């Protein structure tokens, strides 16, 4: 049975991620570009979360792919990222990736 991804903890983690990533309107520097990438990734993850709750088979995988993109962007832009501000976001990303990994493993076992 697929784990319900609409649970309160997931919604809370996504809301916290969104709140911690303040996005510039028109990025013109590396930090602004990273914030835009992060915003786009969080929006994609939220969309896929809704689809996962509706039973779309690839939604969990798509969320994990988006998390990998965000992680890669964070590594690329790490010289411009404020470590103090990023630490709580990174903690939330690790939690989300772990939860999605468990759900994906169960999906693969079912198939």
């Amino acid at each position: 049975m697929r784990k319900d991804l609409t649970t309160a903890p997931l919604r809370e983690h996504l809301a916290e991620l969104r709140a911690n990533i303040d996005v510039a309107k028109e990025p013109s520097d590396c930090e602004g570009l990273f914030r835009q990438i992060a915003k786009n990734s969080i929006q994609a993850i939220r969309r896929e979360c809704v689809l996962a709750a509706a039973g779309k088979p690839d939604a969990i995988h798509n969320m994990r792919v988006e998390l990998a993109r965000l992680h890669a962007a964070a590594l690329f832009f790490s010289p411009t990222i404020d470590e103090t501000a990023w630490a709580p976001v990174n903690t939330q990303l690790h939690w989300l990736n772990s939860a999605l990994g468990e759900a994906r493993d169960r999906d693969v076992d079912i198939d």
Side-chain angles (χ1 to χ4, degrees):
M1 168 82 30
R2 182 183 309 246
K3 184 176 180 180
D4 181 11
L5 293 178
T6 62
T7 59
L10 180 57
R11 287 192 306 264
E12 290 169 9
H13 284 284
L14 289 173
E16 188 171 334
L17 282 172
R18 188 178 63 196
N20 286 327
I21 299 174
D22 180 30
V23 180
K25 295 283 186 200
E26 294 182 24
S28 59
D29 59 6
C30 287
E31 183 180 359
L33 290 171
F34 173 70
R35 288 177 183 267
Q36 188 64 47
I37 291 167
K39 176 188 174 196
N40 293 342
S41 291
I42 297 303
Q43 287 174 341
I45 291 166
R46 290 176 63 90
R47 281 191 307 271
E48 292 296 331
C49 182
V50 171
L51 295 172
K56 181 182 176 208
D58 292 333
I60 293 171
H61 171 74
N62 293 343
M63 283 190 279
R64 295 187 75 212
V65 168
E66 203 58 51
L67 282 170
R69 283 189 187 124
L70 180 54
H71 181 71
L75 288 174
F76 182 80
F77 288 105
S78 63
T80 67
I81 296 173
D82 176 5
E83 288 293 324
T84 305
W86 181 248
V89 173
N90 200 33
T91 298
Q92 297 298 316
L93 292 174
H94 283 289
W95 175 89
L96 182 57
N97 196 38
S98 176
L100 291 172
E102 291 173 16
R104 181 70 176 157
D105 289 346
R106 281 193 296 274
D107 275 355
V108 170
D109 288 343
I110 290 171
D111 292 342

